[in-house]
């Protein structure tokens, strides 16, 4: 009975108060997914300058990652171009000094590459915050090195989904990035990319979770041989579309430089000095007898690289046994028209290339056998920027059927230079084998084994050349292979490595037995190095 009474009361109360009103239909709340786009350009290629104008015309800015050691070399920007970039509001970032695979370097050398690049750009008045890893290769060691140099972000590649690869990857990096020293980005833009593919990088992030999209360009050219490249017309189309798309508030999309997207203040400049020179009487050449191999060195030999330029076919290899030890280097040149080829200590900032002192002279020594004449070619490293330059060449050395030592004393090292690289070369068809390379400060240098020393071929003379900027070249296929193999192609073909501004050809040796010498070892006036990429 009590339950019945309570139920009746409930009915009465409900009737007095009226039925509960129906809830109105809920309209889904629109969630804004903002997108930030950064347009980045790697290497400092000269053909990127039209992009500056295209960006300006559309009210956009970009980030240009510069290989500081290549500025002024054929095919690369001039220092004056950087002023043009800065005046247009573009950001200038670091991309190392000589574009090595930094993951293969020691911690100290990785820091020198990152710090010297930033210090050079900063000395010219630019605020440098952002870095891009050469070949997009990094390890904890390299990330620590870049951070220690004062960069506030460092970009990788191949971590974001595109229409062409990385299916299932994230559609954008986050802001702030999860790891500022390895920010995620799509693969580099290549010749097969379309306008729709470029647009998709922006729109897929907008329809997914939003975030940060970094697009990476290398060459602006219609020449597919320069791939990774994009045609200027396609880049202009995309820039025009991006400007209009980001101007519509409904798209919640902004275009910023990398430094502005990350937003961290500029840090103090950090210096990373080169190693001290070798002590008196100590050979400054690393791995002088080629006994140490390397899976990360482009040549397969620790601290050695291929060198060459001009029209010829060069085949690099090693032979067994050497003069001492189990290995020596070999070089064969065929189809020689001009230029040369040689093995050289790696162009770096001190891990391999010997440190030298301005005003000192050096005794260069190298054992060889050859079926034609040879000579030393010599390169110097700029103490302020770390860039490499052609300096000079020695007299000729006669052909030799048995191991013979070529010895030459340099002139005084010019002021402003602190590193040296050198090697015996071939500038005609023939085969040259070398071993036991040495460089000594002439003060304290050990005595020569005169019974096995040749000073030059008859009547040849030393040639001089003004110091001129050089830069290596790596073809795009090699770059793509490197991503898979972890090292450069070791098949033996050298790219244009050195391009002196004036010939370094010595006078022809006298005597009827001397091989024919090309009329002039003409160095191309303005050869264009192949694309590096990444």
């Amino acid at each position: 009975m009590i339950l019945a009474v309570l139920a009746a009361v409930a009915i009465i109360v409900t009737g007095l108060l009226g039925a509960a009103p129906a809830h109105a239909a809920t309209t889904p709340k629109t969630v804004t997914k903002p997108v930030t786009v950064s347009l980045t350009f790697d290497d400092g290629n000269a053909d990127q300058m039209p992009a500056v104008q295209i960006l300006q015309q559309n009210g956009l800015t970009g980030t240009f990652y510069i290989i500081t050691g290549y500025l002024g070399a054929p095919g690369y920007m001039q220092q004056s171009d950087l002023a043009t970039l800065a005046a247009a509001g573009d950001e200038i970032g670091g991309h190392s000094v000589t574009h090595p695979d930094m993951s293969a370097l020691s911690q100290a050398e990785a820091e020198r590459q990152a710090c010297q690049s930033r210090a050079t750009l900063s000395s010219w008045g630019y605020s440098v915050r952002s870095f891009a890893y050469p070949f997009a290769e990094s390890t904890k060691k390299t990330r620590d090195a870049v951070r220690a140099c004062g960069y506030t972000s460092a970009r990788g590649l191949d971590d974001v989904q595109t229409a062409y690869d990385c299916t299932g990857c994230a559609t954008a990096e986050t802001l702030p990035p999860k790891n500022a020293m390895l920010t995620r980005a799509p693969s580099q833009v290549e010749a097969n990319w379309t306008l729709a593919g470029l647009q998709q990088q922006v729109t897929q992030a907008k329809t997914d979770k939003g975030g940060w999209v970094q697009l990476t360009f290398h060459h602006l050219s219609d020449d597919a041989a320069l791939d990774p490249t994009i045609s200027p017309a396609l880049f202009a189309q995309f820039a025009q579309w991006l400007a209009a798309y980001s101007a519509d508030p409904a798209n919640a999309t902004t275009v910023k430089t990398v430094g502005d997207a990350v937003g961290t203040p500029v840090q103090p400049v950090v210096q990373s000095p080169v190693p001290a020179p070798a002590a008196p009487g100590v050979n400054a050449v690393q791995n002088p007898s080629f006994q140490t191999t390397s899976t990360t060195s482009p040549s397969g030999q620790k601290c050695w690289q291929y060198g060459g330029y001009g029209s010829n076919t060069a085949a690099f290899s090693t032979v067994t046994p050497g003069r001492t030890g189990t290995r020596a280097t070999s070089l064969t040149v065929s189809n020689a028209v001009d230029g040369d080829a040689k093995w050289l200590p790696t162009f770096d900032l001190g891990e391999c290339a010997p440190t030298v002192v301005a005003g000192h002279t050096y005794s260069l020594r190298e054992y060889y056998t050859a079926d034609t004449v040879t000579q030393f070619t010599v390169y110097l490293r700029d103490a302020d920027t770390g860039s490499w330059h052609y300096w000079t060449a020695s007299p000729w050395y006669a052909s030799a059927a048995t191991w013979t030592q070529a010895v030459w004393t340099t002139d005084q090292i010019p002021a402003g230079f602190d590193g040296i690289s050198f090697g015996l070369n071939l500038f005609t068809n023939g085969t040259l084998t070398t071993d036991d390379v040495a460089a000594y400060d002439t003060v304290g240098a050990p005595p020569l084994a005169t019974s096995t020393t040749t000073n030059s071929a008859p009547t040849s003379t030393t040639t001089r050349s003004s110091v001129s900027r050089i830069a290596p070249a790596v073809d795009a296929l090699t770059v793509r292979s490197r991503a898979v193999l972890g090292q450069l192609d070791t098949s033996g073909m050298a790219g244009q490595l050195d391009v002196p501004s004036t010939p370094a050809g010595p006078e022809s040796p006298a005597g009827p037995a001397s091989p024919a010498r090309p009329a002039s070892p003409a160095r191309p006036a303005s050869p264009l190095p192949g694309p590096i990429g990444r």
Side-chain angles (χ1 to χ4, degrees):
M1 290 180 62
I2 294 172
L3 291 176
V5 171
L6 290 174
V9 170
I11 292 171
I12 294 170
V13 171
T14 301
L16 293 174
L17 296 177
H23 290 290
T26 302
T27 302
K29 184 178 180 180
T30 301
V31 178
T32 302
K33 303 172 183 176
V35 174
T36 299
V37 178
S38 293
L39 305 175
T40 74
F41 303 80
D42 284 11
D43 302 340
N45 297 313
D47 59 17
Q48 291 173 0
M49 291 308 295
V52 180
Q53 183 177 4
I54 293 171
L55 292 174
Q56 267 191 303
Q57 290 171 345
N58 290 281
L60 305 175
T61 54
T63 296
F64 290 77
Y65 293 111
I66 304 299
I67 309 173
T68 52
Y70 293 6
L71 282 171
Y76 292 90
M77 292 181 186
Q78 306 295 311
Q79 188 175 334
S80 59
D81 291 328
L82 301 189
T84 301
L85 296 177
D90 297 311
E91 178 186 16
I92 296 172
H95 197 36
S96 80
V97 178
T98 61
H99 203 274
D101 177 354
M102 290 174 57
S103 67
L105 306 179
S106 68
Q107 178 82 19
E109 182 68 11
E111 283 194 20
R112 284 190 286 268
Q113 285 284 343
C115 290
Q116 181 64 68
S117 176
R118 184 167 183 255
T120 296
L121 294 170
S122 299
S123 71
W124 295 336
Y126 306 115
S127 296
V128 182
R129 293 185 280 180
S130 310
F131 187 81
Y133 295 105
F135 301 105
E137 297 287 348
S138 76
T139 62
K140 182 181 184 303
K141 171 185 65 181
T142 58
R143 294 191 286 274
D144 289 345
V146 171
R147 182 184 292 106
C149 292
Y151 293 96
T152 58
S153 73
R155 195 209 67 216
L157 287 175
D158 305 327
D159 304 307
V160 171
Q161 179 173 298
T162 75
Y164 311 95
D165 53 28
C166 212
T167 302
C169 294
T171 55
E173 175 61 282
T174 59
L175 273 178
K178 293 182 177 179
N179 184 351
M181 289 298 107
L182 185 58
T183 62
R184 294 175 294 175
S187 56
Q188 61 195 8
V189 175
E190 300 190 16
N192 64 321
W193 281 51
T194 64
L195 178 60
L198 290 165
Q199 292 170 338
Q200 178 179 316
Q201 291 306 126
V202 179
T203 58
Q204 72 178 6
K206 177 66 176 68
T207 56
D208 187 15
K209 299 177 182 179
W212 184 27
V213 177
Q214 300 177 86
L215 290 170
T216 303
F217 305 91
H218 286 85
H219 288 275
L220 257 71
S221 173
D222 291 311
D223 184 358
L226 292 176
D227 199 22
T229 188
I230 182 174
S231 74
L234 176 55
F235 182 77
Q237 281 183 290
F238 175 64
Q240 186 176 12
W241 173 85
L242 182 60
Y245 184 86
S246 59
D248 185 346
N251 293 322
T253 298
T254 57
V255 180
K256 295 182 178 181
T257 64
V258 170
D260 287 345
V262 176
T264 309
V266 178
Q267 302 300 303
V269 174
V270 178
Q271 302 291 341
S272 185
V274 300
V282 175
N283 183 7
V285 175
Q286 301 296 314
N287 193 20
S289 299
F290 308 101
Q291 296 305 296
T292 306
T293 59
S294 171
T295 58
T296 55
S297 170
S299 70
Q301 303 300 310
K302 182 179 179 180
C303 286
W304 289 90
Q305 68 181 35
Y306 304 143
Y309 75 98
S311 178
N312 56 72
T313 302
F316 296 83
S317 63
T318 57
V319 295
T320 300
R323 174 181 172 271
T324 59
T326 59
R327 188 179 298 106
T329 62
S330 182
L331 166 64
T332 298
V333 168
S334 58
N335 305 314
V337 177
D338 56 32
D340 75 356
K342 60 268 185 180
W343 286 81
L344 294 166
T346 302
F347 287 178
D348 65 8
L349 303 184
E351 183 166 319
C352 292
T355 299
V356 293
V357 180
H360 290 213
T361 60
Y362 288 82
S363 176
L364 309 183
R365 309 177 183 188
E366 188 165 359
Y367 280 90
Y368 75 97
T369 65
D371 57 12
T372 185
V373 293
T374 182
Q375 67 178 159
F376 285 112
T377 48
V378 187
Y379 306 84
L380 298 178
R381 184 181 61 223
D382 189 303
D384 292 329
T385 66
S387 58
W388 283 90
H389 306 249
Y390 170 77
W391 182 28
T392 190
S394 76
W396 288 11
Y397 297 86
S399 60
T402 59
W403 286 111
T404 304
Q405 190 179 38
V407 178
W408 184 55
T409 299
T410 70
D411 292 337
Q412 292 184 354
I413 301 297
F417 295 91
D418 65 1
I420 194 169
S421 181
F422 65 94
L424 291 174
N425 73 352
L426 284 180
F427 48 79
T428 61
N429 293 337
T431 296
L432 169 72
T433 304
T434 57
D435 201 358
D436 299 326
V437 187
Y440 297 98
D441 191 310
T442 52
V443 176
L448 296 172
T450 54
S451 61
T452 58
T453 300
T454 179
N455 292 320
S456 71
T459 72
S460 62
T461 60
T462 302
T463 51
R464 304 288 196 274
S465 174
S466 59
V467 176
S468 57
R469 184 66 55 88
I470 59 175
V474 181
D475 63 84
L477 177 60
T478 293
V479 171
R480 284 193 285 271
S481 298
R482 180 181 190 141
V484 176
L485 302 176
Q487 64 184 69
L488 288 174
D489 178 22
T490 57
S491 62
M493 283 304 299
Q496 290 170 327
L497 179 68
D498 47 288
V499 187
S501 59
T502 58
E507 296 175 2
S508 176
S514 300
R517 176 74 161 94
S520 170
R523 303 176 191 265
S526 58
L528 294 178
I532 292 175
R534 303 178 73 86

